[in-house]
Amino acid sequence: MAVNGNNTFLDHTSAMEVLKEYERRDGLDIRDLMDSKLQGGLTYNDFLLLPGYIGFPASAVTLDSPITKRITLKTPLVSSPMDTVTEHEMAIHMALQGGVGVIHHNCSPDEQADMVRKVKRYENGFILDPVVITRDTTVGEAKALKEKWGFGGFPVTESGNLGSKLVGIVTNRDIQFETDLDKPVSEVMVTDLITATAGVNLLEANKILAQSKKGKLPIIDKEGNLVSMISRSDLTKNLHFPLASKTKDSKQLICAAAIGTRPEDKDRLAKLVDAGLDIVILDSSQGNSMYQIEMIKWIKQEFPDLDVIGGNVVTREQAAALIAAGVDGLRIGMGSGSACITQEVMAVGRPQATAVYNVSSFAARFGVPCIADGGIQNVGHIVKGLALGASTVMMGGLLAGTTESPGTSFVSREGKLVKAYRGMGSIDAMQDKKAGGGGKDAQKSNAGTARYFSEGDSILVAQGVSGAVAHRGSINKFVPYLAAGLKHSLQDCGMTSLQELHECVENGTVRFEIRTASAQLEGGVNMESYEKKLYA
């Protein structure tokens, strides 16, 4: 005991022992927090995580987390399959940062397959399907190929096919300043080649390439026939993007794409798989339908090596039907997106935090990872979605303003730099004719009408809005900022990994607190004027 005047205090060295006298830890456990009978439906803003003990630097936190039963990401961030968010540029740079981008399907099947190919060809280990040309290919045709694929450096073989005798390579330097577009590449190509023999492993091949100081290293068989190739640019990408999401065998970037659940989507999927697709997401606002269940079963039978993510769902009952059908992952959310008005118009949906907890806790019993899709406005929301059981978080509006999203930037009437953004349930998106090739029946092929089961409607009922979001700069700066913020948050909670976070939430070590309206106001900025810079 210690005495201070008339007050008697306990010995300060006994504080940790005295703490054990309390029957419960401070704050709420996850079950008390998410008890709908007591709390109602919660959003991300309605609660906070309580801090833990920091005994490690933020750099020690790992963010590895599964997106499907078979595929794990080093950064648990996913871009949404919306036509103002994810095309090949977004998908490439999300994968380079350790996440994954889901290419939208509000376009023709061929256009979508072409975007998948661009992602898969961007980075490789051994390039098993290089673009090959013949001696007679013209300089103009070679330049057109460079424009189409975004890279130069084409091997030249006798027949113009893989497996034929290698006779040279055409590089950017060979054709860049060539003005005679009708000249055959045989007159400009490099014939003094450094090659490696089939059977060489990737490490040895990379060493040969590094020593050669060449841009490409063809791999040939004993007869001199081209069998594969590796690229110096891929070596550089490995150095600059160590977290990149890649397949284990080909070392290509992981690519995901969305499709609908109509019969013609089966033909679309076949083209995407042929282009190298790794993950397909069945895109529906309400995933518990006969159409989706039938599609899941068909895909698992026709393409057993393709991972399937079903959704969207917000209840255990919805999730159970898709899990039983064989999904490799689930997508959680209905009406919580920043450009979505489903809850307002349809009176159907669920507050996102409650939905994520209930679905992910059920799916975890079957080893099915979940994506928290919607309602993400900042780093804190990402942390909360993951703490509630999601293994990854999907973002639309948060990424729509980045340089890599489709569309161009423009200055708003308020003088701010912005980019267009729209929900896939908006009238603008549902009337877009790109998916149908501009024909009179384009509405039936539209991704927006398919997602909301409106293909045959004479009157379209909007479940989304159109607008603009602030420009956020490049994904290559914004995603690292999100990941760094996530690491610091886990550090504050005393968690070294997302797996540990999930385990400690489940066993009650991680605690929570409800936020009243005034508590939310207190936790925000309370100044007359201020400048809010998110990262530097």
Side-chain angles (χ1 to χ4, degrees):
M1 292 286 184
V3 179
N4 183 358
N6 294 325
N7 297 318
T8 302
F9 302 103
L10 298 177
D11 180 2
H12 71 276
T13 61
S14 66
M16 298 304 293
E17 288 299 318
V18 172
L19 189 62
K20 296 176 183 178
E21 297 176 3
Y22 292 82
E23 292 182 5
R24 300 183 61 180
R25 294 172 61 91
D26 213 349
L28 304 173
D29 67 20
I30 188 66
R31 291 165 186 81
D32 289 336
L33 174 72
M34 302 309 299
D35 187 338
S36 294
K37 293 181 180 178
L38 295 175
Q39 316 292 4
L42 300 184
T43 69
Y44 292 139
N45 285 334
D46 291 326
F47 68 96
L48 288 171
L49 284 77
L50 297 187
Y53 170 70
I54 298 178
F56 51 88
S59 58
V61 176
T62 58
L63 302 179
D64 299 54
S65 193
I67 185 172
T68 68
K69 292 177 180 178
R70 295 181 288 194
I71 297 176
T72 295
L73 306 177
K74 293 187 181 299
T75 306
L77 304 178
V78 184
S79 67
S80 179
M82 303 171 74
D83 61 6
T84 51
V85 178
T86 310
E87 292 188 345
H88 63 278
E89 281 293 327
M90 178 67 77
I92 286 170
H93 289 277
M94 284 297 295
L96 288 174
Q97 294 298 336
V100 73
V102 186
I103 297 172
H104 74 85
H105 60 117
N106 205 24
C107 56
S108 71
D110 289 334
E111 288 173 326
Q112 191 180 18
D114 193 40
M115 286 190 273
V116 171
R117 287 192 189 91
K118 288 179 179 178
V119 177
K120 300 303 292 184
R121 287 184 181 274
Y122 186 81
E123 184 170 350
N124 304 270
F126 285 108
I127 305 172
L128 302 178
D129 58 344
V131 178
V132 184
I133 59 179
T134 70
R135 298 172 186 264
D136 298 327
T137 300
T138 65
V139 169
E141 289 170 335
K143 287 186 175 184
L145 286 172
K146 180 181 182 299
E147 183 70 23
K148 176 181 179 180
W149 294 112
F151 60 83
F154 305 110
V156 182
T157 66
E158 291 284 5
S159 67
N161 296 311
L162 194 67
S164 178
K165 187 175 180 61
L166 180 68
V167 295
I169 284 183
V170 174
T171 69
N172 288 333
R173 286 173 292 183
D174 300 322
I175 61 175
Q176 184 175 13
F177 300 111
E178 181 58 58
T179 57
D180 186 357
L181 300 183
D182 295 325
K183 182 182 290 186
V185 296
S186 58
E187 296 184 23
V188 298
M189 68 183 183
V190 177
T191 56
D192 181 19
L193 304 176
I194 294 176
T195 62
T197 305
V200 65
N201 63 42
L202 186 59
L203 182 61
E204 293 170 343
N206 281 334
K207 286 182 179 178
I208 296 171
L209 181 62
Q211 293 169 357
S212 73
K213 299 182 180 179
K214 300 286 187 180
K216 310 283 183 183
L217 179 69
I219 312 298
I220 59 174
D221 61 19
K222 294 179 180 179
E223 286 74 40
N225 298 316
L226 179 68
V227 295
S228 64
M229 191 167 67
I230 65 172
S231 171
R232 177 175 291 275
S233 63
D234 292 329
L235 280 176
T236 304
K237 292 166 191 170
N238 287 338
L239 293 174
H240 291 166
F241 303 102
L243 301 177
S245 304
K246 301 178 186 178
T247 56
K248 293 180 180 179
D249 49 358
S250 69
K251 302 300 180 184
Q252 293 178 319
L253 295 179
I254 293 173
C255 183
I259 64 169
T261 55
R262 300 162 299 193
E264 57 265 34
D265 284 303
K266 294 179 179 179
D267 296 329
R268 176 184 289 265
L269 181 59
K271 293 185 177 185
L272 301 181
V273 171
D274 186 58
L277 188 67
D278 301 297
I279 302 170
V280 63
I281 287 187
L282 300 182
D283 192 27
S284 174
S285 64
Q286 212 283 54
N288 186 21
S289 69
M290 59 182 181
Y291 312 109
Q292 184 158 151
I293 290 170
E294 290 171 3
M295 181 67 85
I296 292 167
K297 293 178 178 178
W298 178 83
I299 294 173
K300 299 307 291 184
Q301 181 177 350
E302 293 294 319
F303 306 106
D305 295 329
L306 181 66
D307 283 17
V308 183
I309 296 176
N312 281 32
V313 296
V314 293
T315 69
R316 288 190 299 268
E317 289 75 15
Q318 286 179 297
L322 303 190
I323 291 171
V327 291
D328 301 295
L330 286 171
R331 187 175 166 204
I332 305 170
M334 188 175 186
S336 57
S338 61
C340 186
I341 55 174
T342 296
Q343 293 182 12
E344 174 188 337
V345 175
M346 299 292 114
V348 178
R350 198 174 198 180
Q352 185 67 348
T354 300
V356 171
Y357 171 70
N358 282 280
V359 173
S360 60
S361 59
F362 177 77
R365 301 177 65 181
F366 305 91
V368 176
C370 292
I371 303 172
D373 172 27
I376 303 296
Q377 300 171 6
N378 50 52
V379 176
H381 290 169
I382 295 173
V383 176
K384 293 174 183 179
L386 295 171
L388 293 174
S391 59
T392 56
V393 169
M394 179 174 282
M395 299 164 290
L398 200 62
L399 301 179
T402 58
T403 305
E404 289 77 12
S405 66
T408 57
S409 302
F410 62 95
V411 177
S412 68
R413 283 177 291 184
E414 292 77 24
K416 297 180 179 179
L417 188 63
V418 298
K419 291 191 82 168
Y421 175 55
R422 66 188 186 188
M424 292 306 292
S426 66
I427 296 298
D428 286 346
M430 290 195 286
Q431 289 183 333
D432 195 305
K433 296 184 178 182
K434 287 184 293 185
K440 62 180 181 179
D441 293 328
Q443 181 174 313
K444 295 181 179 179
S445 302
N446 181 281
T449 56
R451 189 174 201 277
Y452 296 93
F453 304 102
S454 303
E455 302 99 316
D457 292 358
S458 58
I459 297 177
L460 294 174
V461 179
Q463 294 191 46
V465 299
S466 300
V469 292
H471 197 285
R472 298 185 184 274
S474 173
I475 280 290
N476 294 323
K477 287 189 176 181
F478 190 61
V479 168
Y481 149 71
L482 297 176
L486 177 54
K487 286 186 175 184
H488 279 281
S489 178
L490 264 63
Q491 181 193 35
D492 281 344
C493 295
M495 302 291 115
T496 58
S497 67
L498 290 177
Q499 180 179 350
E500 184 181 9
L501 175 66
H502 287 157
E503 291 172 354
C504 290
V505 167
E506 180 63 24
N507 66 29
T509 302
V510 172
R511 312 294 286 183
F512 301 86
E513 194 70 272
I514 292 287
R515 298 174 82 193
T516 63
S518 56
Q520 293 181 37
L521 181 63
E522 175 189 68
V525 178
N526 295 287
M527 297 172 60
E528 189 67 31
S529 64
Y530 63 92
E531 182 180 9
K532 191 174 184 179
K533 288 186 177 180
L534 295 178
Y535 59 91

